[in-house]
Amino acid sequence: MEVIVTMKNLKLSNVEAKFYALLYQDLSIKDLEEWVYTSGELESYLSATDYFEFISLDFNSKHIRSELEKIIEKYVDYGKFETLRMLDLLNKALRSDEDTGLVLITIYDLYCDGYYFLDKLGLEYGLTCLVPPNKYRVDSWEELSEEEQKELIDGFYPKIIAEINRVIQLIETKKIILTGRKDEFDRWEYIINS
């Protein structure tokens, strides 16, 4: 089975990459179904019982995503997937392009959902995108013109880069380990190592 290198020292097999795309990147069910029937990798990855259940599913069912997730959750390292997603977001924020405002708003949402190590990025930058400063005379990111969005984002750089790199470093050195699980209050859990 071929291994795909995705982020520094974080590797996904082809099957894991498909599962990741299904769970985090909106891989279409049609594309997944096509892959299932054209690739032999899934059969050797899943148990015989789970493979048979997987290929027996009605891919046209309106509940197909949840049915697929029930099977693949046994095979997914959600901590690995969550780490990949976080590093992807942080690297997108480093690029400073037209998607940066939405990426920073997502980081703010993740902070609010329990990733408190994102406090500076979330509160100082993400919240500023979500609720732009008074000088713009608008209430949300979507109400800003493209020029105003660019001006707001450009104002974060280069200062924001150091904070993004600090968080990336914490994750890559495993000083922060994302578990991929939520607690009873629906907040993301993570481990802090000194």
Side-chain angles (χ1 to χ4, degrees):
M1 187 175 297
E2 180 185 340
V3 173
I4 300 168
V5 177
T6 51
M7 295 284 180
K8 242 183 200 179
N9 301 323
L10 194 60
K11 299 173 190 206
L12 296 179
S13 68
N14 287 336
V15 174
E16 286 176 313
K18 285 294 181 192
F19 290 168
Y20 180 84
L22 176 71
L23 297 170
Y24 292 87
Q25 298 176 327
D26 295 326
L27 174 69
S28 76
I29 297 298
K30 182 178 175 18
D31 288 344
L32 177 70
E33 181 181 23
E34 184 179 310
W35 173 79
V36 166
Y37 294 118
T38 59
S39 168
E41 293 175 282
L42 189 62
E43 186 173 7
S44 61
Y45 194 83
L46 302 178
S47 71
T49 304
D50 287 338
Y51 178 72
F52 181 74
E53 185 178 346
F54 200 98
I55 63 170
S56 300
L57 291 172
D58 176 5
F59 283 85
N60 294 313
S61 164
K62 66 179 182 179
H63 304 289
I64 187 64
R65 272 196 189 271
S66 62
E67 292 172 32
L68 288 168
E69 287 175 18
K70 284 178 191 170
I71 297 171
I72 67 175
E73 71 182 3
K74 298 181 250 179
Y75 299 91
V76 169
D77 178 347
Y78 283 100
K80 185 182 201 180
F81 280 14
E82 196 59 22
T83 300
L84 179 62
R85 178 176 78 125
M86 181 65 68
L87 290 172
D88 184 50
L89 280 171
L90 293 166
N91 280 296
K92 283 179 181 175
L94 277 175
R95 288 197 294 265
S96 179
D97 60 23
E98 66 275 356
D99 295 328
T100 303
L102 295 175
V103 167
L104 293 172
I105 290 170
T106 300
I107 288 171
Y108 169 73
D109 290 340
L110 289 169
Y111 161 77
C112 292
D113 289 341
Y115 283 148
Y116 302 124
F117 62 91
L118 295 173
D119 55 344
K120 186 165 185 165
L121 288 173
L123 294 172
E124 189 171 328
Y125 302 107
L127 182 58
T128 300
C129 291
L130 185 64
V131 183
N134 288 335
K135 79 175 196 168
Y136 292 106
R137 300 182 188 277
V138 297
D139 295 324
S140 69
W141 174 257
E142 294 78 18
E143 294 175 29
L144 292 169
S145 68
E146 286 182 27
E147 295 80 27
E148 290 170 326
Q149 288 177 352
K150 182 173 177 5
E151 176 187 320
L152 180 60
I153 294 301
D154 287 350
F156 298 155
Y157 292 84
K159 184 180 172 190
I160 193 175
I161 293 172
E163 183 60 18
I164 294 169
N165 283 328
R166 183 186 75 78
V167 175
I168 289 172
Q169 182 72 15
L170 289 171
I171 293 169
E172 287 182 343
T173 60
K174 298 188 189 288
K175 291 199 168 141
I176 291 180
I177 299 173
L178 307 182
T179 65
R181 294 187 306 266
K182 289 188 169 187
D183 66 15
E184 65 273 13
F185 302 108
D186 203 32
R187 292 181 302 219
W188 286 109
E189 295 180 333
Y190 58 96
I191 299 165
I192 299 175
N193 291 318
S194 331

